[in-house]
Amino acid sequence: MAPTPTWFILAIQDHPENFLRKNLLVYHSTFADEEGITKACGCPLLPLKSRKKGPAPVSEQGKTDIVDEAITFFRCNVFFRNFDIKGPADKLLIYLTFYINLSLKKLEGCRTLAEGSKAILNLGVENVTIPGESGFPFTGLFSLPQSQQEAELLRDYLKQIREETSGRLLGVAYRPNGTPNKWWLAFAKRKFMNIALLDK
């Protein structure tokens, strides 16, 4: 992933709402609604560059996947209160943006990579809710499961993609020496789509 330019970071840190309103639009996923992609509850099970156990097809290591997009676009998209969905992949992008937001909130106060790892790696696989269950953050984003098989397929995919996102997020939220990257952890205070982040 290409690093975010310093001028961009400084601009949105100083006056985020004004800068975004004047200069930027929300970033959408580049993944089209292609035939052959399995869906569960309307969520596309897009390929991942992941060795984590789960139902996601395996993506080539050199290609961008939806997790790359979510992390790359996060520091822009997190400022928006509305998200015009252009396709099914945008629904997954919204879900991951919220998950990254939640993960950064968990990382607040974690002064080392080791502490941060403990804080969010389990977050990826614990209490993973799906549409229709209490605690699922986006009513109407995905459809309700039509069978137990569909429900468990979506849950397993979300577990896999959350776990993968957690691992990659640690790689940008902390510097190579294990200290926090303030240009990432500062975004823990934002609320994506104005959704309050509640510690459980």
Side-chain angles (χ1 to χ4, degrees):
M1 292 178 289
T4 306
T6 301
W7 66 266
F8 173 87
I9 296 172
L10 293 174
I12 60 178
Q13 287 282 354
D14 291 341
H15 301 287
E17 287 80 6
N18 290 339
F19 179 79
L20 290 167
R21 184 166 56 246
K22 293 178 180 178
N23 295 279
L24 296 176
L25 296 174
V26 67
Y27 280 92
H28 294 275
S29 175
T30 60
F31 291 95
D33 185 14
E34 300 175 356
E35 293 184 4
I37 296 294
T38 300
K39 293 186 180 69
C41 302
C43 174
L45 309 188
L46 295 172
L48 300 176
K49 296 181 296 185
S50 175
R51 294 185 177 88
K52 308 295 184 184
K53 183 179 179 180
V58 178
S59 175
E60 294 181 20
Q61 288 298 313
K63 288 187 175 181
T64 296
D65 65 7
I66 189 69
V67 175
D68 289 330
E69 285 191 338
I71 293 175
T72 300
F73 299 158
F74 174 80
R75 288 184 290 182
C76 175
N77 283 352
V78 72
F79 287 97
F80 290 91
R81 296 185 178 183
N82 300 290
F83 198 113
D84 183 22
I85 296 173
K86 300 294 187 183
D90 271 352
K91 296 181 179 182
L92 188 52
L93 186 62
I94 288 171
Y95 181 88
L96 289 177
T97 302
F98 173 80
Y99 178 70
I100 293 169
N101 202 183
L102 178 62
S103 297
L104 289 174
K105 185 69 175 176
K106 293 286 187 182
L107 291 176
E108 278 192 307
C110 297
R111 308 310 302 168
T112 66
L113 176 59
E115 291 179 13
S117 297
K118 291 179 182 179
I120 71 167
L121 287 180
N122 287 337
L123 179 66
V125 296
E126 292 180 348
N127 301 319
V128 179
T129 56
I130 60 173
E133 295 181 346
S134 175
F136 190 75
F138 296 103
T139 302
L141 182 65
F142 301 124
S143 60
L144 296 176
Q146 299 302 301
S147 66
Q148 186 64 28
Q149 181 180 9
E150 184 179 27
E152 292 311 310
L153 177 60
L154 178 60
R155 195 188 313 276
D156 288 345
Y157 182 77
L158 293 181
K159 284 181 180 179
Q160 183 182 8
I161 202 169
R162 284 161 61 114
E163 191 176 11
E164 183 65 30
T165 302
S166 293
R168 295 194 211 173
L169 181 61
L170 288 169
V172 295
Y174 291 88
R175 302 185 186 282
N177 65 0
T179 60
N181 183 342
K182 66 179 181 179
W183 300 120
W184 270 93
L185 295 183
F187 285 81
K189 302 186 184 299
R190 305 306 307 180
K191 289 194 295 185
F192 177 53
M193 297 179 70
N194 211 32
I195 299 174
L197 303 179
L198 301 177
D199 290 328
K200 296 182 179 180

